[in-house]
Amino acid sequence: MTAESGALRPAAHRFAVDVPELELADYQRAVRLVLRHPLITATWPDERALPRVRRFAATLRRDLAEAFGYRLELHGATARLVRVKDQLDGTQPAVSRTGRPFDRQRYAYLALCLAVLGRAGIQITLSELADSVAGDANRITGLGLDPDHGPDRRAFVDAVGWLEERGVLRLADGSSAAWASDPGAGEALYDVARDVVFALFRPTRVVQHVESVSALLGRVMTSSGNAERRLAAQAARRAVVESPVVYHADVDPVVANHLRGSALAADVARLTGLRVERQAEGVLLVDTAGFTGERFPGTGSVAQAAVLLAVEMADRVVDPDGRRVKRLAPPDRDSRQQSLVGEVDAGLPTATLVRLDDTGPAEPWTTGDEGGPDESDGAGRLPFVTDSFLRTAVGEILARYGTAFGAQWHADPDRLRAEAMALLERFGAVTAVPGGVLVRPLVGRYRHTVAAVKPRAMTETLF
């Protein structure tokens, strides 16, 4: 991947125009805060967050609306960023306090909890909440909730814990852990933050009128008019701040045109204080301020294994002495989206659907040799690396850096491979396909990475 030519030309700032330069860093911190945490309360993500947002409320409202098409609402002790989604993303699920990704059951319980809390008073006990949610869930075919059934109870507690973390529920008395262990003996009393309840659930359409989740997505740009260009520019900025890496091939051509321009990099840098790296195949936001919740490269065995696997894959693709790497066409972008849409729509409660007539609409990244084929070569074909190669590579990594990985990973290398590849896919480095993965250009930037084991007093880690 070769860097695009042309330096940024000075231009009048379009954003943060009324923010003094001495306060610009604080303003950018507030922008990053709101983008990372669309719901901010008196305690979530911490006690300092809400005052930071309120300090720049007027400017934030204007800039977030103009730059991204988002709407910032502040009511009581709550700030809520109502975002526009251009496509479904299955890589950023809600997670429990223990890091468990939410499944369909947990999402359903979360939605039902919000419905119950919207009808509740200022306090509610955990058992009352469970009984009300169970009453609603048991009327939904295939769902149900039995507090005496361990898996149901754990899923319900994960949903309640998610609400507790964000200040929707505040423990006033008792113990939620005691109820979770024994619903018949334990109890907990919660204060209900009703302003947070109403701020949290903000669909862009009346949900009972939505026949498909695709109706909740943003509109597609099809014209070249000024209004459509403005919408395309907003979609391009949204893609940069919402995705680890944005490939031109993964977005509409009109959005890709804005990604290639220098104005986008300047706008995003002015708003967030972060640098946009532009390359021939796409762009990424260089996170130097802890903007994202998950970082790559990162710490921990899985992240370290992922970097080492990226090195192995990059070397495999360009190995002049190895067998020629097969190249395959990546899954069609629209078909991937349709697959996700189908998965979500499969859970729609069609019995309560109200049908309407109209529902509405650095290092070069490339893994090829210099001057050789890239992602655009061969009608967009990408190098294919087999699961067999990855299993062998993980075995060699564990043998080479054995002291850096715990015994549990040596005992279960397939789990380490699966989690490392899942991390790489979340960051846009690979695309999983049957039998292996397609290597995307971002992997190329780790081609010359050299790892070493650093001894420490009690443990040893990579890098």
Side-chain angles (χ1 to χ4, degrees), residues 13-218:
H13 295 308
R14 289 187 291 173
F15 303 108
V17 293
D18 55 353
V19 178
E21 288 299 316
L22 290 177
E23 297 182 4
L24 182 60
D26 289 337
Y27 176 74
Q28 292 168 340
R29 189 177 298 112
V31 171
R32 296 195 300 267
L33 179 66
V34 173
L35 291 175
R36 179 176 175 183
H37 300 285
L39 175 70
I40 296 175
T41 66
T43 57
W44 175 262
D46 57 52
E47 293 81 2
R48 297 169 296 176
L50 190 60
R52 284 176 175 169
V53 173
R54 287 195 172 282
R55 176 183 173 189
F56 298 104
T59 306
L60 284 171
R61 281 197 187 98
R62 184 190 64 234
D63 283 352
L64 292 171
E66 176 60 28
F68 305 107
Y70 294 160
R71 186 172 76 252
L72 179 64
E73 299 179 348
L74 289 96
H75 299 291
T78 305
R80 180 71 164 95
L81 184 66
V82 182
R83 297 186 293 182
V84 175
K85 295 298 293 182
D86 299 294
Q87 60 181 4
L88 300 183
D89 182 2
T91 66
Q92 301 180 41
V95 296
S96 68
R97 286 171 168 170
T98 59
R100 178 199 297 270
F102 272 35
D103 53 16
R104 190 182 296 275
Q105 183 183 29
R106 286 168 171 77
Y107 280 121
Y109 289 166
L110 179 60
L112 293 177
C113 282
L114 287 171
V116 171
L117 295 174
R119 303 189 300 263
I122 60 173
Q123 285 191 322
I124 192 171
T125 64
L126 189 52
S127 60
E128 288 174 338
L129 179 58
D131 289 343
S132 296
V133 170
D136 292 336
N138 291 333
R139 290 194 293 270
I140 299 175
T141 303
L143 183 58
L145 169 58
D146 180 0
D148 294 325
H149 184 232
D152 285 3
R153 186 169 68 251
R154 286 190 291 272
F156 173 72
V157 169
D158 282 346
V160 172
W162 191 93
L163 295 170
E164 281 190 76
E165 280 189 307
R166 285 151 183 80
V168 180
L169 296 172
R170 300 164 188 161
L171 187 64
D173 194 15
S175 169
S176 58
W179 184 92
S181 299
D182 185 357
E187 185 58 282
L189 176 65
Y190 288 108
D191 293 328
V192 180
R194 295 185 61 80
D195 57 334
V196 184
V197 172
F198 296 132
L200 187 58
F201 182 65
R202 298 305 300 269
T204 56
R205 310 251 340 244
V206 178
V207 175
Q208 288 86 349
H209 296 171
V210 172
E211 297 186 20
S212 170
V213 68
S214 58
L216 299 175
L217 299 178

Side-chain angles (χ1 to χ4, degrees), residues 314-335:
D315 290 345
R316 172 70 185 93
V317 170
V318 300
D319 184 2
D321 299 322
R323 291 178 300 170
R324 182 175 178 82
V325 177
K326 181 189 298 184
R327 286 178 175 263
L328 302 176
D332 179 73
R333 174 171 61 97
D334 292 335
S335 66

